[in-house]
Amino acid sequence: MSASTGAGRATGWLGATAAFAIIGCTWALATARYGGPDEPAHVTRAAAAAHGDLVGRPVEGFAPGYRQVTVPAALSTGDPACYRHDEKITADCSVAGSPSGDIAVATSAGAAPPWFYVVVGGIARVFSSGDGVMAYRMASVVLCAIILGFALTRSRRAAWLFAALTPSAWFLLGVVGTSAIEIALVAVATVEAVARFDTERAEASLAWVSVPLAVCLVLRPAAFIDIAIVALLVIPTLPRPFGMRRMATLVGPVVLAGVASLAWSRWTGLVVSDKRTADSDSFASALSRSIRGIPTTVNQAIGALGWNEFFAPVIAQFVWVAVLIAAVSWTIRQGSGPRWHVAWLAAALVLPTLAEVAVHTRIGEIWQGRYSISFAMGGVLYAARNELPRRVVMIGIVAAAAGAEVLTLWQTLRRYMVGLDGSLTLRSPSWSPPLNPWLLIAMNAVAVAWLAAQTLPQPSGVFQAHLGASSHSTGFRR
């Protein structure tokens, strides 16, 4: 790699990271306190981990996954229970206090591997007092932005990666939880897997695929299902015969991560059981109910926001579905055939159902749509194995995806400020974000436009140097 190419990639990574960070910050500011799914548990876990409490203590009367930890008392205030189940109730009913000292609380994330929480909590503690939710959000945003920026830089056809992010994925970028970093890490692995369809990158180290998945598995053991979507992408690119060295590179990190996750769970005494959500139905009944719930899961993966109590605007969801259809159609037109997408669709629908039903007597059928976002993105990213469509077509796709993201941010602000039955122009709000909402929307729109521009090659068809592509690889058909 030449020095200029290396400098170009570094500049591209920095630019993409900055854009993602700004976008994530606008989401963090637009979302009410603890408005993310299970966010109180994740923030509490991060605060405790930052102070060295990695395990906590079992709590009598709670499910086995709960642990008691000690955190700043201010973090225990502002419970979102009053608004999190009703999209018409504004966030002003949740009042955050500022008591001094520490308090012992129970967190449902207490038995989860601590590594994500150590990093997020450590960053928050270095740059703040550690008693404000926003500090943890910003730390998570920066961490995810760095990874997503890297994924964008590594992709030669980054426009598809930008368009693949569902409205729900953008929302998760701005709140504390393991879902966002899982999406970011799987994006890296997916981009690298798809890139192997290019002849000149077919011999690239498989570590680019396996290591992000291994990290993902260490941070969140349930992310094993993400391995399936990446496997569907990388298996067709593997050479025959497939040597032991390649096997070790591809499988080794994931196996080690799985062993580490199992060891952690055993050491902490994690028991996968929750009487509150478990059911006693037969396997057949549970399977039937899970299958009937597939449309809900799909809808959540595309557009669920908050605690799944509200969704992105219908038009924003439609845009993402249209992007998926365009990606599939383009793949078929390029001669790749529909078989991969058939396998992808089967895996996306069947694997969550099987995983859910397998443990329904222990923890119930608790699969959430956000766990399937990586599958949804993979369906779009597969199109990146081919050259991009004509420039005008790709600009239209990217512009539509950008507009859908901005519209979803507006929907989020409306939900928390005036309720989804309130003013379309956000007048007479009961709750307001730290910055003027229209300023947030403007900042978001500018950052999204900037990021979108970084994904598109120059009119000449040569990929921009800051995205790290070589001059002989064109992204567009002329």
Side-chain angles (χ1 to χ4, degrees):
M1 179 188 298
S2 67
S4 60
T5 301
R9 281 187 173 172
T11 302
W13 187 2
L14 180 61
T17 296
F20 273 118
I22 295 171
I23 293 168
C25 287
T26 61
W27 278 100
L29 293 170
T31 304
R33 182 183 179 90
Y34 290 143
D38 300 319
E39 193 174 17
H42 294 299
V43 170
T44 300
R45 179 77 162 115
H51 287 79
D53 190 353
L54 303 183
V55 181
R57 293 180 295 171
V59 186
E60 186 176 353
F62 284 77
Y66 279 80
R67 293 291 188 273
Q68 179 178 302
V69 295
T70 301
V71 298
L75 294 179
S76 67
T77 66
D79 192 328
C82 64
Y83 70 79
R84 72 185 186 193
H85 297 302
D86 192 335
E87 63 185 17
K88 297 180 181 179
I89 298 178
T90 63
D92 71 312
C93 66
S94 174
V95 180
S98 54
S100 59
D102 296 332
I103 189 173
V105 296
T107 170
S108 60
W115 321 122
F116 167 77
Y117 303 103
V118 167
V119 175
V120 169
I123 295 173
R125 189 179 179 188
V126 167
F127 292 98
S128 74
S129 62
D131 60 358
V133 175
M134 198 58 66
Y136 297 93
R137 283 187 178 177
M138 295 303 177
S140 179
V141 163
V142 170
L143 183 61
C144 293
I146 291 172
I147 300 172
L148 284 170
F150 180 77
L152 201 80
T153 304
R154 293 288 299 178
S155 177
R156 290 188 175 181
R157 300 170 184 115
W160 284 123
L161 175 58
F162 176 84
L165 291 167
T166 68
S168 53
W170 288 113
F171 174 88
L172 291 169
L173 180 61
V175 297
V176 181
T178 52
S179 293
I181 194 168
E182 177 184 348
I183 291 168
L185 288 167
V186 175
V188 174
T190 303
V191 162
E192 295 295 338
V194 173
R196 293 178 58 79
F197 284 99
D198 290 339
T199 303
E200 65 269 30
R201 296 200 33 196
E203 294 302 317
S205 174
L206 288 164
W208 287 109
V209 177
S210 60
V211 171
L213 289 177
V215 174
C216 192
L217 196 58
V218 167
L219 298 182
R220 184 174 176 270
F224 69 89
I225 200 164
D226 294 324
I227 297 173
I229 180 62
V230 179
L232 285 175
L233 290 166
V234 78
I235 287 175
T237 71
L238 299 178
R240 306 291 191 276
F242 189 52
M244 290 301 298
R245 178 176 294 182
R246 286 193 177 97
M247 177 67 74
T249 303
L250 179 62
V251 179
V254 176
V255 171
L256 291 175
V259 171
S261 295
L262 289 174
W264 172 265
S265 298
R266 186 174 181 83
W267 183 62
T268 57
L270 176 63
V271 178
V272 183
S273 177
D274 192 338
K275 294 180 180 179
R276 301 170 306 163
T277 55
D279 66 64
S280 57
D281 290 351
S282 66
F283 177 86
S285 297
L287 179 61
S288 175
R289 186 168 58 249
S290 183
I291 292 174
R292 292 196 305 270
I294 287 177
T296 298
T297 299
V298 172
N299 191 21
Q300 289 177 348
I302 297 172
L305 311 175
W307 293 68
N308 290 341
E309 84 277 13
F310 77 112
F311 287 76
V314 173
I315 189 173
Q317 298 183 59
F318 174 81
V319 164
W320 189 88
V321 173
V323 167
L324 175 62
I325 294 173
V328 174
S329 299
W330 180 249
T331 299
I332 295 174
R333 286 182 58 190
Q334 293 303 294
S336 302
R339 287 184 297 177
W340 185 89
H341 274 103
V342 171
W344 161 79
L345 182 61
L349 300 181
V350 172
L351 291 181
T353 296
L354 294 179
E356 188 176 55
V357 174
V359 296
H360 80 281
T361 59
R362 298 177 65 85
I363 58 176
E365 298 171 6
I366 58 171
W367 190 268
Q368 300 288 321
R370 64 181 179 274
Y371 307 151
S372 296
I373 290 176
S374 297
F375 268 102
M377 291 172 55
V380 175
L381 283 173
Y382 183 69
R385 65 168 292 181
N386 303 302
E387 290 188 355
L388 291 173
R390 290 182 298 119
R391 179 176 173 80
V392 65
V393 173
M394 212 63 215
I395 289 177
I397 289 174
V398 169
E405 188 277 342
V406 177
L407 188 61
T408 304
L409 180 70
W410 164 81
Q411 176 90 324
T412 301
L413 283 163
R414 183 178 176 226
R415 182 262 176 274
Y416 293 119
M417 294 176 65
V418 296
L420 291 191
D421 60 344
S423 169
L424 295 175
T425 57
L426 313 180
R427 290 180 300 174
S428 303
S430 300
W431 176 88
S432 295
L435 294 180
N436 180 280
W438 293 107
L439 176 60
L440 280 177
I441 292 174
M443 291 171 57
N444 178 271
V446 171
V448 167
W450 179 31
L451 182 64
Q454 294 180 60
T455 71
L456 294 172
Q458 296 174 351
S460 63
V462 179
F463 225 8
Q464 297 176 31
H466 69 264
L467 285 179
S470 56
S471 60
H472 64 272
S473 176
T474 63
F476 281 93
R477 289 164 56 92
R478 292 181 180 273

